[in-house]
Amino acid sequence: MSVDHPPVQEVHEGRARTNISFVIVITVIAALGGLLFGFDQGVISGAISFLNVQFHMAPALSGLVTACLSLGAIAGCLVAGFLCDGLGRRLLMFIGGLLFVTSSIGCGLANGPAMLIAFRVIGGLGVGVVSTVVPLYIAETAPARIRGRLVGGYQLAIASGILIVYIFNAVIANTHTLEWNLSTGWRWMFAAGVVPGLLFFCLMFLVPETPRFLFEKGDHAQAKSILTKIDGPESAETSLADFAVAQSLSYRGFFRELFKKGFGVALVLTIALPFFQQLTGVSAVAYYAPVIFKQAGASTNAALIETVVIGVVKVLFVVSFMILVDRVGRKRLLLLGSALMALCLIGIGVVFVTPTPFSIVTDGLILFLILLHTVGFEASWGPGVWVVISELWPTRIRGRAVSIGTAVLWLGTYLVTQFFPILLKDWGTPLTFGLFGFFCIAMFLFTLKLVPENKGKTLEQIQLDFTLKGTNA
């Protein structure tokens, strides 16, 4: 049975006069939330070796100190999802910045694992908030033709945050004595997070609320004003007409809308893609890279320097994703990335079981494969998942729907980071990385079968596609 809906108008965006400087400014400011994400993800990699010695932590406790950020993030993104659909995207980003500043101060002053865990959970709340709201904010303000690369800017900020903290960790570790690093160095690693947290909070005063949220709340005049500033008056009128069509589609409450016929694939993608993203092993590499390099034969200081190289590669290849995503498409990049990562992870396992006469050879091969894995991740699944899930849902429930996917992502992060050191100890490095390689093969098959290509479509066109699938079934 077919049901007719008012057509969503095609936006002739090639003719639109986008105020690109304004779009870039608000995107960059919002994307700084990713810098907080990356900073908190990367800081523990430099600190954990010193914390293990200072607080005599067993592998299970070490895993909890590392992974507890993810527990706070699960709660933070679920709360943020529901609040941002009622209170707005901008206010929640303010809150995320404050939580991050609080966490950085508390972790820097921690007197033991318990206090460290408590403040990392608070930091997780902040990271959960920004990891839900920032990609959604960018997706709702970006013109369709460049939405992929602008949402990809969020992953660029994450990678930049990781690189900055990797450099900061390496400088501290290599310019001070072991005794000083054990007592004080790790504190400065955490406390440095106050700077990006305050910067993000202060710059939030310069960005507007998203026009789609304002339209949903009945403030059509302000929505039109922002749309006009972004893409000119003609495009603004077209967008407002599309918003009205999307708003006219039936709304029966969040959970009924979430499970509405036609949105089944969207729900599966929202849950599966973020979880798969973590099964690439990226968080294990981000948190434990120095540990992996030390197992391969590198010294502590050399391991931290090699970790900086990973950070540089992350930044470079997120930029490549931003260049390619709106040309090549989301799906093709996800397929290429999962295939490359599978080969690298299996290769790492093989190198660890293949004896070599010199540790520098093993270390070099491991570094090369981890760098290639990083290339595959940052040019595909890293930013690609944020792009895809931010595009799938109607504006009125987008925050809550995306928060489910973000919570799943953080659940995956928690499981990987909690159990990775235990798997390394009990299974050994070859089997542990082989398991992640198997997951990447599964990701390739899943993407091939289920992921749609939304390149160039407006959010309203994507919503209508799913709605019509349900009504024509």
Side-chain angles (χ1 to χ4, degrees):
M1 177 180 176
S2 177
V3 177
D4 292 330
H5 292 286
V8 173
Q9 302 177 47
E10 295 290 337
V11 180
H12 301 291
E13 293 190 278
R15 303 174 190 171
R17 297 181 178 179
T18 301
N19 184 350
I20 196 66
S21 59
F22 176 68
V23 172
I24 289 176
V25 166
I26 62 175
T27 298
V28 168
I29 292 173
L32 284 175
L35 194 72
L36 309 186
F37 183 161
F39 191 98
D40 235 356
Q41 190 177 48
V43 68
I44 195 68
S45 71
I48 193 65
S49 296
F50 303 125
L51 292 170
N52 286 337
V53 175
Q54 180 73 0
F55 297 127
H56 310 290
M57 297 193 300
L61 181 57
S62 177
L64 180 59
V65 168
T66 303
C68 64
L69 177 91
S70 305
L71 296 178
I74 292 170
C77 64
L78 288 174
V79 171
F82 281 82
L83 289 180
C84 78
D85 280 338
L87 301 178
R89 287 54 166 142
R90 184 169 174 261
L91 176 60
L92 268 293
M93 290 192 283
F94 274 114
I95 294 172
L98 284 178
L99 288 170
F100 189 81
V101 170
T102 303
S103 169
S104 298
I105 295 170
C107 288
L109 297 174
N111 57 14
M115 186 174 174
L116 194 61
I117 289 169
F119 279 99
R120 275 183 62 76
V121 169
I122 291 172
L125 288 170
V127 172
V129 168
V130 298
S131 63
T132 297
V133 180
V134 170
L136 187 152
Y137 178 92
I138 297 172
E140 290 187 354
T141 54
R145 67 188 177 281
I146 56 172
R147 187 177 60 245
R149 73 186 66 170
L150 292 183
V151 176
Y154 173 63
Q155 183 70 20
L156 177 61
I158 294 175
S160 299
I162 291 173
L163 173 60
I164 290 168
V165 77
Y166 280 173
I167 294 172
F168 189 69
N169 288 350
V171 169
I172 288 179
N174 284 279
T175 56
H176 295 83
T177 65
L178 176 61
E179 291 74 18
W180 187 88
N181 282 318
L182 288 173
S183 63
T184 307
W186 61 267
R187 297 183 185 278
W188 282 105
M189 293 178 184
F190 284 114
V194 171
V195 176
L198 282 177
L199 181 65
F200 179 68
F201 177 84
C202 293
L203 289 177
M204 270 298 107
F205 287 99
L206 302 180
V207 303
E209 185 54 85
T210 75
R212 284 177 170 87
F213 175 80
L214 292 168
F215 188 90
E216 283 291 332
K217 295 303 177 183
D219 193 348
H220 296 187
Q222 184 64 15
K224 181 178 179 179
S225 174
I226 296 169
L227 286 167
T228 300
K229 192 170 184 180
I230 290 173
D231 236 4
E234 184 179 344
S235 182
E237 291 290 350
T238 304
S239 296
L240 290 172
D242 288 349
F243 294 176
V245 171
Q247 194 177 57
S248 71
L249 300 177
S250 60
Y251 180 63
R252 304 170 293 175
F254 172 62
F255 288 103
R256 293 185 67 189
E257 190 82 359
L258 191 68
F259 293 99
K260 184 169 69 175
K261 197 171 184 179
F263 280 89
V265 172
L267 183 59
V268 169
L269 294 175
T270 299
I271 293 171
L273 291 180
F275 196 71
F276 272 139
Q277 190 202 64
Q278 293 309 301
L279 294 182
T280 62
V282 63
S283 291
V285 172
Y287 290 146
Y288 296 108
V291 176
I292 296 168
F293 291 135
K294 285 175 69 177
Q295 285 196 2
S299 67
T300 299
N301 289 353
L304 287 172
I305 293 171
E306 289 174 345
T307 304
V308 172
V309 178
I310 293 177
V312 172
V313 171
K314 280 180 172 290
V315 170
L316 292 176
F317 282 90
V318 175
V319 173
S320 75
F321 172 89
M322 294 170 67
I323 294 170
L324 294 173
V325 64
D326 289 314
R327 301 176 184 177
V328 176
R330 290 83 161 121
K331 183 170 184 171
R332 190 176 298 175
L333 290 176
L334 292 179
L335 288 170
L336 291 172
S338 54
L340 178 59
M341 287 187 288
L343 291 173
C344 292
L345 290 164
I346 293 169
I348 290 171
V350 171
V351 169
F352 269 104
V353 296
T354 304
T356 57
F358 304 104
S359 63
I360 191 172
V361 175
T362 301
D363 186 35
L365 286 172
I366 295 299
L367 176 60
F368 172 76
L369 289 169
I370 286 180
L371 289 176
L372 201 57
H373 174 274
T374 303
V375 168
F377 180 81
E378 299 298 346
S380 62
W381 282 79
V385 167
W386 301 110
V387 173
V388 173
I389 67 172
S390 68
E391 295 175 334
L392 296 176
W393 298 96
T395 300
R396 58 170 63 91
I397 65 166
R398 185 172 293 122
R400 285 164 286 178
V402 170
S403 76
I404 292 173
T406 314
V408 170
L409 182 145
W410 283 108
L411 175 62
T413 304
Y414 169 75
L415 293 174
V416 169
T417 52
Q418 174 69 69
F419 292 106
F420 182 74
I422 299 172
L423 287 174
L424 281 181
K425 180 175 180 290
D426 295 342
W427 284 26
T429 306
L431 282 178
T432 300
F433 279 92
L435 178 64
F436 287 128
F438 170 79
F439 288 139
C440 287
I441 295 171
M443 290 158 52
F444 179 93
L445 298 174
F446 178 88
T447 303
L448 189 64
K449 182 69 175 176
L450 286 181
V451 175
E453 182 54 71
N454 292 325
K455 178 181 69 173
K457 296 180 180 179
T458 68
L459 298 180
E460 288 67 38
Q461 288 167 346
I462 296 167
Q463 177 188 346
L464 189 62
D465 285 346
F466 283 114
T467 301
L468 292 177
K469 284 178 185 177
T471 56
N472 291 331

